[in-house]
Amino acid sequence: MDKFMRTIPFDHLLHWMRSEWRTNAQIFGIPRATFFRKANSRVFALPGGSCELPLGPAAGPHTQLAQNIIAGYLTGARYFELKTVQVRDDLDIAKPCIDAAGEGYNSEWSTELSITDAATEYLKAWLSLPFVKCLIHPDSPAVQPGYVFNVSVGYDLKGIQSPKVDGFLDVLTDASNHPDWRSFQQILYESLLEHKTPSPSTIADIVGNLAPQISTSVTLSTMHGCPPQEIEAICRHLLATKKMHTYVKLNPTLLGYAVVRDLLDRHGFQNIQLQSETFEHDLQGTEAFPMLMRLKAFAAQHDRFFGVKLSNTLPVKNTRGRLPGSEIYLSGPALYPLTISLAGLVAQTFDGKLPISYCGGLDYFNLLEVARTGIYPLTLATSLLKPGGYLRLTQLSTTLDTYLDQIPDNRIDLERLAQLVDSLHNFRKVNEFVTVPDPGKSTEKLPLFDCFTAPCQQGCPIRQNVPDYLYHLEKGDADRALATILADNPLPHITGYICDHQCQVKCTRNFYEKALAVRDCKKWAAENSRVSLSSAPWRRKSPLSVKVAIIGAGPGGLACAAFLARSGVLVTIYEKEASAGGTVQHIIPKFRLPDSVIAEDIKAVTALGVKFITNWPEPIDIHNLHNQGFGYVVIAIGAGQSRPLNLDGANGKILDSLTFLRTFKSDPGSVRLGKTVAVVGGGNSAMDAARAALRADGVRTVHIIYRRTVNEMPADREELENALRDGAIFHELLTPVEFISGNRLKCQRLRLGKLDSSGRPYPIPIENSFSEIQVDCLIAAIGEEADQSFFERNGIVRKGLWYNPKTLETNITNVFIAGDARRGPATVVEAIADARTIATVILKREKIKNSPTVKPAKEMEIIADLSLRKSSLQLPNIQNENRTQIQQEAMRCLHCDLLCGRCVDVCPNRANFGVKVSTPGFKDILQIVHLDGLCNACGNCVTFCPYDGAPYRDKFTIFWDRHDFIQSRNSGAIYLGEGRFSVRLRKKSFTYAVGSTNSPKLSPPTITRVLEQLYQQYRFLLSV
Ligand SMILES: Cc1cc2nc3c(=O)[nH]c(=O)nc-3n(C[C@H](O)[C@H](O)[C@H](O)COP(=O)(O)OP(=O)(O)OC[C@H]3O[C@@H](n4cnc5c(N)ncnc54)[C@H](O)[C@@H]3O)c2cc1C
Ligand code: SF4
Ligand code: SF4
Ligand code: SF4
């Protein structure tokens, strides 16, 4: 039954708020620290009343239920556009209906409640807000509301004139007609008296002064394709017959297909597929503007306000497959360039004299700019659906309140608006942090309890304790930060510069503005700490007799040596080159990784007593090493052989990337490439080759040729951007086929086909479609592999799964394989991960205690501060990488391992709740329970939960209705009264009585504690 929400009866709503406030200093999960406090005395006269702040949730998921509106109020919303009602109030909306991970899509439209229930819900919200004010400001509960409810109706004249919608509007304009008006007033009065503050006379004043005019303004929403005559007729009906101040919502289609397509493409939304029919059928400017003129005059005749709401959503093709149906509605950041352009057009046409209510891609970074043009009220939805949820409003409302005086009064500043529209050319900058790639979910299943996890740690191949070392950096303690890093990562300097930082890809902050600069923080810790690999507690006093030989002194070999040596193992590394460091030392260009940085890590490994034998002549015989007393051998020889590229007519013009980079690094002056170079490939080697080529003597132009598109490139996005910034020219969907007439490189054009085994679309040649590039030299960076002859010589069979995936042991006992030699071209941190696996296996086989790890030192006091962090968007600022900047950056960390709660924050309906449970050794860990009654299966929590799972199905669920309990498959409980629960756990049902010795012992024991807590502290959640 999880598709259908239940509403909370009014008396229980008030009881819930009072109880939650008393026990937890929060209301509907919104903690006191994030409440908005108005500081500016300016208020706005809006159609519908006086408003403290012209800001709030748009008609949508945040204004459907009373508790949603309350949550918005607490965080500073003062203008509430109530969720649209329409005559068809029994629609079965297919679920999920929200996909807010990136730009934002939905497939829902009007309220899911019946019209009568919707009216009651809005009445409950209207009467709840005075109660909320008394709760949180008992000494000064302002009698004036200071907030405005704006109803939203759709979608055609017949429906709006139907008795259902007509009656709804009558109730909203004068709620004294509502059957519950009197009884709710009485409940409010009694609940306030029970609360004891404010004084009875003030309470009597508050209740006596309650205005029954919930909403005297309306926003009209029409379907795409609604004829202009009908739109005009509805507006006239609302203005004249219903006597309501009216906004009419316009669609972005008014800009025309070509403009919308161009705006989307220019701002990085090429993936959005439009439907030209939508534009053809919709209202055109030639009809819209005269109609708006007539309506403006008509409203004035009737002494009503008239304005436009910009803008409606845009129907687009459903190409993402997350939501049902072929068409979905676009919202969020992608609407910003469209809506602000439309606002510019409308404002110019009406000389700034037609009021505009604005909703389209607002967030912290553009809110003030829009407000300063005089466009308001400002509403938003998608931003509030992302992690942080309602809490994001706190930052928005506080910021807007601070600058309220800069908002022009009753006029639109045309010049400023024109500048804002012009500045869209720079929008790409803004866009970069609102459309970061979806960090995705892990493959780990969502547990019933104890789910909080740090996605950065999950994304890291060596599971580095990122939140802990950021915590130390926040405190300015580089030593403890580096000690935490070294526990998992013996190469902090190298990884501080060139790690491909999968932690950042997964970081929760991606959903806010930008990932934590984790790698830069690590680099700073490494460079500013006095701790090193060889300082206590790592080094054992007396070395053991266990001997391990490692072949190859690249990152894999070095890391494995460090993990073993710090536990006392005697390690010798055999390296064929004259110096250690492997690919990072001999191939990766110095402009990316200075030699001194590599030297720091090698010095630390050496200080652990690791013996290096360099210039070791090939061939190496593993059996000889065994004979010399080495009980274990680790092969870490990398993937040092470039895959060849052979083209007709090349005549010596092709170089492989490794050879080129090696020469460029050791003797850059000797490199002769000519003027124009083509680099073929899309990985990090290709990017380094392109950047190095651009720095080589005589080179003017470098082309990067890649056979798929930028979206499929294996190279770090950052490295591609660096190459482009350096001046490389990027060609996608192209592959070289031959050299013709000397320097003309003929390339085949390609298109993307079906997915191949790598999960990426396969490039297919486009028949007879070629292009030519003039090049003097081609650098092939199309992959690297390990030296096959090494394995053959040593009897290591490389067929199928040729090593044990858990131990990384080859077919020869006690001979292991690590890094690029095992994986093919991979990364430094993956080599370290292999090294750790192997070291752990060897230590276990030798019964050697693993070296001590650093105890997690994070103090729980940090939790108190986290809700404020969750409510704030803040871009990183680490240009100078000084202590203050690093501390500030570390302070952006949300410590997801201590307090994830994304499902709590993003649920518009407050259907996920954090219950404080004491756990031995910890204080007050939050456990998430799901409240079945409030959930409408919109799917938003599923999008943002970092696990493979759906919080609304997989978390312990509280049911209010027996039928719902029976219908659902969720593990959970229904309260039977007097401390007794009917519980279902892993499909088994039983009765549990809190405190009774007859109750069964529950596993995990957390369930017992959660049930006890629910009964003792959170009884208001148990039934309504
Ligand atoms: C151009 C380029 C750019 C890269 N950029 C990045 C990046 O930005 N970030 C990142 O994380 N990774 C990057 N990588 C990948 C990274 O360098 C490798 O994943 C990492 O170095 C693998 O470590 P390894 O120890 O397995 O191998 P290697 O570093 O290749 O080390 C192997 C060592 O074994 C030695 N050896 C080989 N055969 C023998 C033998 N028979 N006897 C003795 N010694 C032998 C070699 O001389 C070498 O020193 C890049 C790679 C390339 C080529
Ligand atoms: S916010 Fe902090 S803990 Fe959360 S994923 Fe990012 S770095 Fe990790
Ligand atoms: S619990 Fe999840 S699915 Fe249910 S309403 Fe909240 S966000 Fe939507
Ligand atoms: S989103 Fe909710 S259920 Fe998922 S890990 Fe976070 S707190 Fe747990």
Side-chain angles (χ1 to χ4, degrees):
M1 293 295 288
D2 52 21
K3 256 169 96 169
F4 301 102
M5 305 168 289
R6 299 189 176 273
T7 56
I8 307 173
F10 187 56
D11 53 349
H12 192 75
L13 195 72
L14 304 188
H15 166 68
W16 179 320
M17 287 194 274
R18 191 176 44 233
S19 312
E20 193 183 344
W21 177 243
R22 276 187 187 156
T23 51
N24 288 278
Q26 60 176 40
I27 295 174
F28 289 113
I30 309 292
R32 178 170 36 198
T34 62
F35 289 177
F36 167 69
R37 275 196 163 264
K38 184 155 172 73
N40 195 317
S41 57
R42 183 172 176 192
V43 291
F44 288 75
L46 292 185
S50 156
C51 188
E52 288 180 346
L53 212 57
L55 172 75
H62 301 94
T63 51
Q64 181 157 237
L65 300 172
Q67 69 270 21
N68 307 13
I69 293 169
I70 294 165
Y73 178 82
L74 289 167
T75 44
R78 294 295 182 266
Y79 183 82
F80 299 89
E81 207 180 61
L82 305 178
K83 191 158 187 184
T84 312
V85 300
Q86 61 148 330
V87 66
R88 292 167 66 199
D89 63 348
D90 54 356
L91 289 177
D92 186 7
I93 307 281
K95 300 295 172 66
C97 57
I98 296 177
D99 170 11
E103 48 267 21
Y105 298 95
N106 66 79
S107 57
E108 55 159 18
W109 22 324
S110 42
T111 179
E112 289 166 49
L113 302 175
S114 71
I115 288 201
T116 351
D117 284 351
T120 311
E121 207 55 22
Y122 300 147
L123 171 61
K124 279 161 33 186
W126 184 250
L127 295 180
S128 296
L129 295 187
F131 183 79
V132 171
K133 286 185 181 188
C134 292
L135 270 191
I136 63 176
H137 305 304
D139 302 327
S140 56
V143 177
Q144 291 303 325
Y147 43 84
V148 168
F149 281 18
N150 168 267
V151 286
S152 170
V153 291
Y155 290 96
D156 58 10
L157 183 59
K158 195 165 159 230
I160 288 171
Q161 287 179 332
S162 68
K164 263 193 201 174
V165 181
D166 197 60
F168 170 86
L169 289 176
D170 286 346
V171 164
L172 270 281
T173 43
D174 183 358
S176 57
N177 297 323
H178 192 281
D180 294 325
W181 172 254
R182 291 249 160 267
S183 60
F184 283 2
Q185 261 188 322
Q186 187 62 27
I187 291 171
L188 175 62
Y189 180 68
E190 285 166 13
S191 300
L192 283 173
L193 280 184
E194 207 180 314
H195 186 56
K196 295 203 179 79
T197 41
S199 67
S201 62
T202 313
I203 291 174
D205 271 359
I206 290 170
V207 178
N209 283 325
L210 284 170
Q213 286 79 31
I214 298 179
S215 177
T216 54
S217 69
V218 58
T219 297
L220 168 66
S221 200
T222 54
M223 287 289 185
H224 283 267
C226 182
Q229 303 77 1
E230 174 121 8
I231 299 175
E232 185 163 355
I234 305 173
C235 289
R236 285 173 185 263
H237 168 73
L238 293 170
L239 287 162
T241 315
K242 302 313 292 178
K243 301 199 182 325
M244 296 186 83
H245 305 295
T246 302
Y247 287 105
V248 59
K249 217 186 243 186
L250 299 181
N251 299 332
T253 47
L254 211 54
L255 290 167
Y257 180 90
V259 173
V260 169
R261 182 70 273 167
D262 177 58
L263 282 168
L264 291 176
D265 289 349
R266 271 197 290 131
H267 299 126
F269 300 106
Q270 298 92 332
N271 56 325
I272 295 172
Q273 291 192 19
L274 302 173
Q275 308 168 105
S276 53
E277 320 82 78
T278 320
F279 291 78
E280 287 152 20
H281 299 155
D282 252 4
L283 186 66
Q284 308 290 316
T286 44
E287 298 162 323
F289 296 133
M291 175 189 84
L292 295 174
M293 301 261 186
R294 288 192 297 274
L295 285 170
K296 194 165 178 283
F298 182 80
Q301 282 162 21
H302 288 81
D303 196 21
R304 295 293 94 172
F305 166 95
F306 178 74
V308 289
K309 158 87 191 281
L310 303 179
S311 66
N312 209 347
T313 61
L314 182 66
V316 297
K317 282 189 197 153
N318 184 359
T319 52
R320 289 164 63 87
R322 287 197 185 183
L323 300 181
S326 56
E327 185 181 78
I328 47 178
Y329 305 116
L330 178 69
S331 67
L335 275 189
Y336 178 68
L338 308 186
T339 309
I340 202 70
S341 299
L342 187 56
L345 178 68
V346 171
Q348 284 296 336
T349 310
F350 287 87
D351 197 25
K353 296 197 176 100
L354 183 66
I356 297 174
S357 158
Y358 186 97
C359 176
L362 285 179
D363 69 18
Y364 171 66
F365 296 107
N366 54 16
L367 180 87
L368 268 187
E369 287 307 307
V370 178
R372 285 185 182 120
T373 66
I375 290 178
Y376 61 81
L378 303 164
T379 52
L380 62 167
T382 308
S383 185
L384 307 183
L385 289 167
K386 293 175 185 278
Y390 290 97
L391 303 185
R392 288 178 176 226
L393 267 171
T394 309
Q395 186 186 31
L396 295 168
S397 52
T398 310
T399 310
L400 189 62
D401 193 48
T402 309
Y403 295 98
L404 272 192
D405 301 331
Q406 297 180 1
I407 300 179
D409 214 358
N410 284 326
R411 72 181 168 88
I412 292 173
D413 182 335
L414 288 177
E415 205 176 316
R416 206 178 243 282
L417 179 57
Q419 278 167 9
L420 193 55
V421 175
D422 278 353
S423 74
L424 280 178
H425 297 295
N426 298 326
F427 181 64
R428 179 83 218 187
K429 275 194 214 128
V430 179
N431 189 24
E432 268 168 17
F433 53 77
V434 285
T435 59
V436 288
D438 182 353
K441 290 158 82 78
S442 86
T443 50
E444 215 175 302
K445 291 276 173 229
L446 173 59
L448 190 59
F449 293 110
D450 298 313
C451 54
F452 293 0
T453 182
C456 50
Q457 212 170 345
Q458 285 196 349
C460 171
I462 49 174
R463 301 281 186 270
Q464 281 202 86
N465 196 336
V466 175
D468 260 21
Y469 72 76
L470 290 177
Y471 170 79
H472 294 309
L473 288 179
E474 182 182 333
K475 304 265 167 213
D477 190 342
D479 288 351
R480 289 178 84 185
L482 187 61
T484 308
I485 293 165
L486 288 172
D488 306 301
N489 176 3
L491 307 178
H493 288 88
I494 295 172
T495 47
Y497 271 77
I498 62 155
C499 183
D500 70 328
H501 53 60
Q502 289 303 310
C503 52
Q504 295 185 204
V505 175
K506 296 280 170 199
C507 176
T508 303
R509 275 278 180 195
N510 281 312
F511 290 122
Y512 286 74
E513 60 315 69
K514 215 174 172 95
L516 253 290
V518 177
R519 188 176 70 188
D520 291 320
C521 288
K522 175 188 292 153
K523 180 173 148 196
W524 189 85
E527 289 177 348
N528 291 279
S529 161
R530 293 154 304 173
V531 171
S532 88
L533 260 184
S534 47
S535 38
W538 309 119
R539 190 77 172 99
R540 283 194 132 194
K541 284 203 178 85
S542 47
L544 302 161
S545 57
V546 180
K547 282 174 69 183
V548 175
I550 295 176
I551 307 173
L558 290 170
C560 196
F563 286 126
L564 290 167
R566 75 188 189 190
S567 288
V569 173
L570 299 173
V571 183
T572 306
I573 304 185
Y574 294 89
E575 166 59 53
K576 69 174 182 178
E577 297 279 347
S579 56
T583 300
V584 295
Q585 178 67 62
H586 302 294
I587 307 283
I588 295 182
K590 289 183 193 176
F591 58 79
R592 225 158 48 88
L593 182 64
D595 285 349
S596 56
V597 170
I598 308 170
E600 283 295 330
D601 282 341
I602 296 177
K603 193 171 82 187
V605 176
T606 314
L608 284 172
V610 173
K611 193 167 158 198
F612 288 86
I613 300 181
T614 49
N615 283 324
W616 184 251
E618 293 208 63
I620 280 190
D621 183 346
I622 290 176
H623 301 288
N624 267 347
L625 294 174
H626 277 315
N627 293 341
Q628 286 172 38
F630 290 105
Y632 301 88
V633 176
V634 181
I635 302 167
I637 60 170
Q641 298 192 337
S642 283
R643 285 210 191 103
L645 175 70
N646 299 313
L647 296 179
D648 285 348
N651 294 336
K653 283 194 279 293
I654 302 182
L655 262 179
D656 73 76
S657 59
L658 293 187
T659 308
F660 162 62
L661 287 169
R662 185 179 286 272
T663 318
F664 179 79
K665 191 156 189 181
S666 57
D667 186 8
S670 69
V671 169
R672 295 280 172 271
L673 300 173
K675 280 187 190 158
T676 310
V677 178
V679 175
V680 179
N684 281 336
S685 298
M687 298 309 113
D688 276 352
R691 296 184 71 197
L694 278 163
R695 286 165 171 79
D697 280 351
V699 173
R700 300 252 172 86
T701 312
V702 171
H703 299 272
I704 300 174
I705 299 177
Y706 180 53
R707 60 193 189 135
R708 292 186 170 94
T709 73
V710 66
N711 298 328
E712 291 80 34
M713 275 179 86
D716 272 8
R717 190 54 59 99
E718 213 175 312
E719 289 311 321
L720 170 65
E721 279 167 13
N722 284 336
L724 297 180
R725 206 168 295 135
D726 285 355
I729 302 165
F730 180 61
H731 306 262
E732 53 187 7
L733 294 169
L734 210 61
T735 189
V737 283
E738 61 173 325
F739 274 97
I740 41 178
S741 338
N743 289 1
R744 282 161 55 208
L745 180 67
K746 182 179 173 188
C747 298
Q748 166 79 60
R749 290 208 178 92
L750 305 159
R751 65 181 171 79
L752 291 182
K754 291 195 174 136
L755 300 189
D756 65 11
S757 57
S758 72
R760 295 176 298 169
Y762 197 75
I764 302 169
I766 303 173
E767 216 174 309
N768 293 328
S769 184
F770 298 95
S771 70
E772 282 180 20
I773 303 175
Q774 198 77 19
V775 299
D776 300 318
C777 167
L778 184 153
I779 300 174
I782 55 170
E784 295 95 29
E785 54 201 357
D787 175 7
Q788 179 61 22
S789 65
F790 176 94
F791 298 104
E792 281 166 10
R793 272 198 316 271
N794 285 291
I796 293 169
V797 185
R798 295 212 310 160
K799 269 200 194 127
L801 192 52
W802 55 284
Y803 51 84
N804 180 327
K806 284 201 178 126
T807 59
L808 307 188
E809 191 169 18
T810 63
N811 58 308
I812 304 178
T813 308
N814 291 337
V815 174
F816 300 85
I817 179 91
D820 283 9
R822 167 172 98 82
R823 301 170 184 254
T827 60
V828 170
V829 70
E830 286 171 310
I832 301 175
D834 286 0
R836 190 169 63 177
T837 304
I838 294 167
T840 309
V841 172
I842 295 175
L843 295 176
K844 199 167 163 204
R845 284 188 190 171
E846 291 297 326
K847 300 190 176 52
I848 301 171
K849 220 169 137 248
N850 217 334
S851 56
T853 49
V854 175
K855 253 175 80 187
K858 210 152 51 180
E859 290 147 35
M860 300 299 285
E861 115 267 339
I862 203 164
I863 283 190
D865 180 39
L866 288 180
S867 53
L868 274 174
R869 289 190 198 189
K870 279 184 175 187
S871 68
S872 299
L873 276 67
Q874 191 195 341
L875 281 172
N877 172 23
I878 41 165
Q879 267 83 24
N880 302 331
E881 291 182 15
N882 58 34
R883 180 179 294 271
T884 314
Q885 288 185 348
I886 291 293
Q887 271 181 289
Q888 274 167 358
E889 179 60 8
M891 280 174 80
R892 291 176 63 237
C893 178
L894 301 170
H895 294 277
C896 310
D897 55 332
L898 283 187
L899 184 70
C900 170
R902 287 188 198 174
C903 57
V904 176
D905 298 339
V906 303
C907 176
N909 299 338
R910 321 315 289 144
N912 299 312
F913 196 96
V915 170
K916 276 186 196 156
V917 178
S918 299
T919 309
F922 289 97
K923 260 197 316 191
D924 292 350
I925 288 290
L926 286 186
Q927 297 289 356
I928 304 299
V929 294
H930 175 62
L931 306 173
D932 174 78
L934 299 184
C935 174
N936 66 342
C938 72
N940 202 35
C941 55
V942 186
T943 302
F944 294 109
C945 175
Y947 286 97
D948 173 16
Y952 80 101
R953 286 200 211 104
D954 301 331
K955 299 307 289 181
F956 193 76
T957 302
I958 301 301
F959 295 88
W960 296 334
D961 181 280
R962 178 149 285 279
H963 181 68
D964 294 349
F965 181 56
I966 293 165
Q967 291 287 308
S968 167
R969 291 197 193 145
N970 290 15
S971 285
I974 183 163
Y975 185 55
L976 306 173
E978 294 167 354
R980 291 167 59 249
F981 292 86
S982 189
V983 181
R984 180 175 51 229
L985 206 56
R986 294 178 215 100
K987 297 187 189 153
K988 286 201 182 128
S989 297
F990 51 89
T991 303
Y992 183 86
V994 172
S996 162
T997 44
N998 295 331
S999 283
K1001 268 218 170 326
L1002 302 185
S1003 164
T1006 313
I1007 300 176
T1008 316
R1009 286 197 292 274
V1010 169
L1011 289 174
E1012 280 169 6
Q1013 261 317 77
L1014 283 167
Y1015 175 65
Q1016 278 151 13
Q1017 296 286 328
Y1018 299 87
R1019 219 171 294 174
F1020 56 92
L1021 296 178
L1022 296 179
S1023 49
V1024 293

